[in-house]
Amino acid sequence: MSVPAIEFKQLSFAYSGRPDSLKSITFSLRRGSKTALVGPNGAGKTTLLLMCNGTLRPTSGTVVIGGGEISYDARSLREIRRRVGMVFQNSDAQLFAPTVYQDVAFGPLNIGISDEDIGRAVAESLFAVGLAGYERRPPHHLSGGEKKRVAIAGVLAMQPEILIFDEPTSSLDPAGAAEIMDLLDELHHQGVTILLSTHDVELAYQWADDVVLIADGEILHHGPPATIFCDTDLMRRAHLTMPTLLSLYHHLVARRLMQPDIPPGGIPDMAQRIEEITPGGIAQDAPAPIHLLDTGEGVNGPITALRTIYPNLRIGVMGTAAKRTLAEAAIIPDVTYGVIDTSILHALRREPVLIITTGGMIERVKARVLDFSRTSGISLSVLPLRENDTTEEI
Ligand SMILES: Nc1ncnc2c1ncn2[C@@H]1O[C@H](COP(=O)(O)OP(=O)(O)OP(=O)(O)O)[C@@H](O)[C@H]1O
């Protein structure tokens, strides 16, 4: 078995003169996993996250990063903070330079990266968080959401192997929050291990592979989201409520309108199940295909060709590189976040859709659509587009 990304071993912690905020915490995070640390106010989430890069030191017990126990001398801490990026809940605590550029450049500058490479890292990180062109702005004149993005860019510029986010979507509007979650998905796909804290059960249910439930400084459970969020006793003990999608599913099952099954993973799954039990749906028609274009193949030709066949084609774009390519080609996409599930919903409504992305994200689209087809029994097709070819089917 591979070495875990992070291990907490019998970790306890008390702020000076206070009772224990963390009580004998033991769990580990798989390398490359995306985990949500979920719990009510005051549960100990922030305190636990601050252990991950040595900002706080346990009163007893240890934190192990990639197989090595954290040491608390200045040199070791510098090295740990390069490998473990941390975005704080309060961005004001993280931003201090006079310009956005200097703020994002601060980390790379401190580890001796050349000016040219720093320029590139800053530009790429700002583009990734949707703030290209903000370089000369003073961070303290930005909105709360923009500050959060600058803080994220500063962490991305260090290319950490582990990302720790304390309430990543707080102070972001819903679309901005969804874009940041998509960015986290992209980073996860590049192999980064992600641990975020939240009390947003909707977000944790739809996004995380694993959920760690914490209340009153203790871990109540660590497991797959559906197992944890379906457990009403656990939810009550953690002062949380069941995600809306699960709650609706349980109500429909209890009223015998729906067969008990694996809980729905997202809106496409739920919409499909409702369509199956509702007369008058369009289930008898075959779904529209989801076209898929790798930006490496060039975007203008295939889009023009597809638009002549489908004038009402919807275009979704996933990932930083693809967004940049589309911006350069002056093509405005219809969907920029939640792209795969939105595209599945369009396909089920028999509306033509094209997803533009690149690299490993191509496989992610195929895997998610295949997974949906398998669980729903509805055969959806993904048609990878090439310059003169729109017919290959998975
Ligand atoms: N600087 C501090 N000094 C003393 N006690 C603190 C300090 N920070 C947090 N605590 C206490 O530690 C406990 C855990 O707080 P923590 O901020 O880790 O919880 P949290 O789960 O992140 O909460 P929230 O969701 O409200 O941000 C709480 O009882 C809190 O009052």
Side-chain angles (χ1 to χ4, degrees), residues 15 18 21 40-47 89 199:
Y15 290 97
R18 305 261 312 146
S21 290
N41 290 132
K45 300 183 296 297
T46 300
T47 307
Q89 189 168 356
H199 27 71

Side-chain angles (χ1 to χ4, degrees), residues 50-227:
L50 291 174
M51 300 286 162
C52 298
N53 74 347
T55 304
L56 289 179
R57 186 174 184 163
T59 320
S60 63
T62 51
V63 183
V64 180
I65 304 291
E69 198 174 301
I70 294 189
S71 306
Y72 294 86
D73 59 283
R75 198 160 149 266
S76 308
L77 285 178
R78 236 191 340 268
E79 171 61 10
I80 280 296
R81 285 171 193 165
R82 190 187 60 73
R83 293 171 57 200
V84 182
M86 168 102 53
V87 182
F88 295 99
Q89 189 168 356
N90 173 10
S91 309
D92 283 321
Q94 194 152 9
L95 307 176
F96 46 84
T99 67
V100 166
Y101 184 96
Q102 284 165 294
D103 231 310
V104 178
F106 179 79
L109 203 64
N110 263 349
I111 53 171
I113 293 177
S114 74
D115 280 355
E116 192 187 327
D117 287 344
I118 288 176
R120 195 174 320 120
V122 172
E124 282 173 5
S125 306
L126 285 175
F127 185 88
V129 299
L131 291 184
Y134 276 59
E135 285 82 349
R136 295 156 81 94
R137 306 262 305 262
H140 57 278
H141 284 174
L142 301 178
S143 75
E146 289 167 337
K147 283 182 192 167
K148 175 141 267 174
R149 287 160 190 262
V150 174
I152 296 172
V155 169
L156 294 187
M158 298 288 280
Q159 299 192 309
E161 59 199 74
I162 299 171
L163 278 183
I164 309 291
F165 281 71
D166 198 1
E167 295 282 351
T169 57
S170 69
S171 74
L172 296 176
D173 58 37
E179 280 184 2
I180 292 301
M181 297 317 291
D182 271 1
L183 174 64
L184 294 195
D185 266 355
E186 188 182 354
L187 293 167
H188 166 250
H189 216 74
Q190 291 164 9
V192 178
T193 304
I194 302 176
L195 171 63
L196 60 79
S197 79
T198 184
H199 27 71
D200 183 342
V201 292
E202 312 289 341
L203 179 151
Y205 180 58
Q206 305 246 354
W207 178 82
D209 295 332
D210 291 317
V211 170
V212 176
L213 197 62
I214 183 170
D216 201 18
E218 291 180 275
I219 303 299
L220 297 184
H221 213 294
H222 181 187
T227 310

